[in-house]
Amino acid sequence: MGNKLIVGNIKMNMRFGEISNYLNQFKNVNNKNLVICPSYIYIPYFLNYNFSVGSQNVCSFDVGYTGEISARQLSSIGVKYVMVGHSERRIKLNESDIDINNKIRASLHAKMKVILCIGETLEEFKLLKKDSVIKRQIRDSLFNVSDLSNVIIAYEPVWAIGTNKVPSIEDITSTVIYIKQLVKQMYKQDIKVIYGGSINEKNIVNLNKIDILDGFLIGGASINPNQFLEIIEKIS
Ligand code: PEP
């Protein structure tokens, strides 16, 4: 198995009756670099397999918010990763960089690894604002975070999510280099960067040739176990 991180974002998919069939397909998988992020309610069913489990979100605070789930609670049942700042949450739920910063600090405090999603919208891309958006998201989301060893950045151009549009290999490579250099400059630390956006079992072959990438975040294609397993096989 390779060392690339593979994150599956199942989003709000699957009814309870579909969970056991999904999980059955993963019973022979032995890869701790594979992180599957189901909805909160299904997390307990995903534990105790030979892959890691991640949460799609977390509360910014440890107590006091009815209906929320804290990093401490997630960590206490064995969740190892937390996805923070997904564009669907930033855009549709108005999640701010300050919210994201609070979520990151709560998660790191609870000893979890954070997958920080960043990326520009189509409009920002067209207005050539990609680099400045990325810079702002990194600076504000990671404000006062001193140790980045448990933070992974997921570069997900918003216009590539669920659209079957993928940036060119050259564009992904240069953006990942930009992110790594920026973090090095700002924090004097190295950071892992993964790519997400319309990955499928075909385009993964070329995407996997980008050496500088530390892994992939897969949304739609992670819902179908056969398709997801084919992608995992091609990465590993
Ligand atoms: C995502 O939502 O994080 C994602 C990468 O989705 P998709 O693979 O469907 O583009």
Side-chain angles (χ1 to χ4, degrees):
M1 290 287 177
N3 280 327
K4 297 222 164 168
L5 190 70
I6 307 169
V7 184
N9 173 16
I10 299 182
K11 310 196 190 195
M12 295 167 77
N13 293 284
M14 290 207 273
R15 298 291 169 268
F16 182 59
E18 297 168 89
I19 299 295
S20 70
N21 178 51
Y22 185 90
L23 282 170
N24 252 333
Q25 317 285 322
F26 289 87
K27 63 178 190 292
N28 296 323
V29 169
N30 187 0
N31 186 351
K32 288 288 176 191
N33 289 322
L34 169 65
V35 184
I36 304 186
C37 306
S39 296
Y40 283 139
I41 50 168
Y42 301 140
I43 283 176
Y45 302 99
F46 281 71
L47 297 167
N48 303 318
Y49 284 81
N50 287 318
F51 55 78
S52 302
V53 178
S55 165
Q56 296 173 18
N57 184 33
V58 65
C59 182
S60 302
F61 306 102
D62 283 336
V63 287
Y65 289 79
T66 299
E68 290 289 321
I69 295 184
S70 74
R72 285 201 307 214
Q73 289 177 309
L74 289 167
S75 171
S76 75
I77 63 164
V79 174
K80 297 274 184 283
Y81 289 81
V82 182
M83 265 172 53
V84 170
H86 192 281
S87 60
E88 287 160 5
R89 299 196 59 84
R90 288 180 188 265
I91 296 166
K92 297 179 190 168
L93 296 170
N94 290 323
E95 203 167 82
S96 69
D97 285 319
I98 296 175
D99 298 325
I100 292 162
N101 179 250
N102 284 327
K103 289 179 182 201
I104 292 175
R105 291 198 282 162
S107 303
L108 293 176
H109 195 244
K111 305 266 178 280
M112 286 192 290
K113 290 182 194 288
V114 169
I115 300 160
L116 165 62
C117 302
I118 61 168
E120 79 287 357
T121 63
L122 186 58
E123 197 189 355
E124 289 161 345
F125 178 76
K126 284 184 180 159
L127 293 171
L128 305 178
K129 287 182 173 171
K130 182 185 73 178
D131 288 0
S132 62
V133 167
I134 286 175
K135 189 172 186 174
R136 190 209 71 229
Q137 289 175 332
I138 291 177
R139 186 195 58 216
D140 295 354
S141 308
L142 295 177
F143 179 72
N144 260 349
V145 177
S146 53
D147 180 4
L148 300 183
S149 54
N150 285 321
V151 179
I152 298 128
I153 290 182
Y155 171 56
E156 299 204 291
V158 180
W159 51 272
I161 295 181
T163 56
N164 269 329
K165 293 196 180 92
V166 178
S168 69
I169 298 294
E170 293 72 29
D171 280 351
I172 296 176
T173 306
S174 65
T175 307
V176 173
I177 291 173
Y178 172 70
I179 293 169
K180 291 193 176 199
Q181 283 177 346
L182 194 66
V183 171
K184 188 84 179 175
Q185 229 174 49
M186 289 164 107
Y187 301 93
K188 315 279 174 264
Q189 294 174 60
D190 293 321
I191 193 134
K192 289 196 162 82
V193 181
I194 65 177
Y195 166 79
S198 292
I199 295 175
N200 60 38
E201 70 283 11
K202 298 198 179 78
N203 61 27
I204 191 60
V205 177
N206 270 335
L207 291 169
N208 200 32
K209 291 181 186 151
I210 308 178
D211 282 340
I212 192 154
L213 266 183
D214 299 294
F216 302 95
L217 203 167
I218 297 132
S222 71
I223 297 155
N224 175 327
N226 291 330
Q227 198 182 2
F228 194 25
L229 284 166
E230 192 176 334
I231 294 171
I232 295 166
E233 174 88 26
K234 286 179 175 165
I235 298 170
S236 305

